[in-house]
Amino acid sequence: MKVMMYFGGRVSSEELKAKASVDYKAMSRTVHAALKLDPYNMDGYYFAQAVLVWDVGQYQVANDLLQYGMKYRTWDWYLPFFAGFNYAYFLKDYPNAARMYMRAGELSGDPLFKKLAGRYLQQSGQTEIAIAYLTTMEKGTRDKAVKESFRIRLTAFRKVLLIEKARDRFASERGRRPLSVEELMATGYLKAVPVDPYGGKFYLEPDGTVSTSSKFAFAGVKNQ
């Protein structure tokens, strides 16, 4: 409460330029101490996500607090959801983002988090694990719309895996990475153009990662 009152007084709704004079380190220490005394108090975790992340850029410090809270608030899907977002959006740590979204999905039952977990598994170069994970999710859900959503994503990831295997064969036999999906086609490593079920176009990133212009979402094509 003291931290929130202090912060509210320093940063008025009228002007945010007072932020430069806010003692964030003292605030962080106080919140850490409060959560040590009462690890079930949600206010501290909201503060970490709202202020430490967005105002201070202390993403890992916030995630450390969130993961500390997960030991106690074992039922709460918000904490892994916050941590998963920080890992994916700010830290670009996709394996940990996938892990956090898996936990959020298991606790909440929300298929969105389960799909995000699959996406970040694929982005971290673990396409086969993502396929296995989403296959389990697809089999387990009874909702027809959710099942179809999983099925479409699985189709896309299977196409990715096909390209990845062709890419790896090319690199093994030719001693370099292919420059494009088109080169894999022209050299016979791919027999047909893989079709993205989201309507995008598969391509190779400079590091060899297989991506698609759809970003594995129908909205990605629409936005483009």
Side-chain angles (χ1 to χ4, degrees):
M1 286 181 65
K2 285 184 177 180
V3 168
M4 290 177 180
M5 290 175 66
Y6 165 79
F7 186 65
R10 300 296 290 178
V11 183
S12 67
S13 57
E14 175 188 309
E15 291 271 348
L16 291 180
K17 56 188 178 183
K19 284 167 65 175
S21 63
V22 174
D23 191 346
Y24 287 109
K25 289 185 178 179
M27 290 168 64
S28 182
R29 286 195 300 270
T30 306
V31 170
H32 273 76
L35 289 174
K36 287 288 183 182
L37 290 169
D38 179 10
Y40 297 96
N41 191 327
M42 189 63 182
D43 288 340
Y45 305 114
Y46 268 115
F47 173 83
Q49 186 64 14
V51 179
L52 290 181
V53 170
W54 291 100
D55 287 1
V56 195
Q58 292 293 327
Y59 316 122
Q60 192 57 58
V61 171
N63 271 13
D64 289 344
L65 265 180
L66 292 168
Q67 293 195 70
Y68 169 75
M70 289 178 215
K71 297 176 185 177
Y72 299 90
R73 297 179 64 90
T74 54
W75 68 90
D76 190 351
W77 61 266
Y78 278 100
L79 302 188
F81 168 63
F82 291 159
F85 174 81
N86 295 339
Y87 276 126
Y89 188 78
F90 294 112
L91 297 170
K92 309 302 181 188
D93 182 346
Y94 299 127
N96 273 322
R99 183 169 58 86
M100 289 293 107
Y101 278 123
M102 279 185 189
R103 181 165 179 167
E106 289 164 3
L107 291 173
S108 69
D110 192 325
L112 171 61
F113 300 143
K114 297 172 184 178
K115 287 191 285 185
L116 286 170
R119 175 183 293 184
Y120 289 122
L121 276 172
Q122 189 275 325
Q123 282 189 273
S124 63
Q126 302 181 73
T127 305
E128 290 188 84
I129 297 175
I131 289 171
Y133 170 74
L134 289 173
T135 298
T136 302
M137 295 297 102
E138 189 267 339
K139 288 179 178 177
T141 186
R142 296 181 181 180
D143 187 286
K144 290 183 179 179
V146 173
K147 187 178 284 289
E148 178 65 9
S149 178
F150 282 136
R151 189 193 64 76
I152 293 169
R153 188 170 297 277
L154 275 166
T155 300
F157 283 3
R158 286 175 181 134
K159 297 296 176 70
V160 168
L161 186 60
L162 188 69
I163 299 170
E164 286 178 345
K165 289 182 175 180
R167 174 202 64 195
D168 294 344
R169 286 198 307 273
F170 182 103
S172 175
E173 294 175 9
R174 304 201 173 203
R176 66 171 178 86
R177 283 199 296 258
L179 300 175
S180 64
V181 173
E182 288 72 23
E183 184 175 18
L184 290 172
M185 290 285 300
T187 51
Y189 287 89
L190 280 174
K191 294 181 180 179
V193 179
V195 177
D196 178 2
Y198 292 102
K201 181 181 179 183
F202 290 111
Y203 63 93
L204 296 180
E205 301 276 7
D207 65 356
T209 301
V210 180
S211 297
T212 174
S213 57
S214 71
K215 307 296 183 186
F216 299 107
F218 290 113
V221 176
K222 182 179 178 182
N223 289 337
Q224 287 192 17

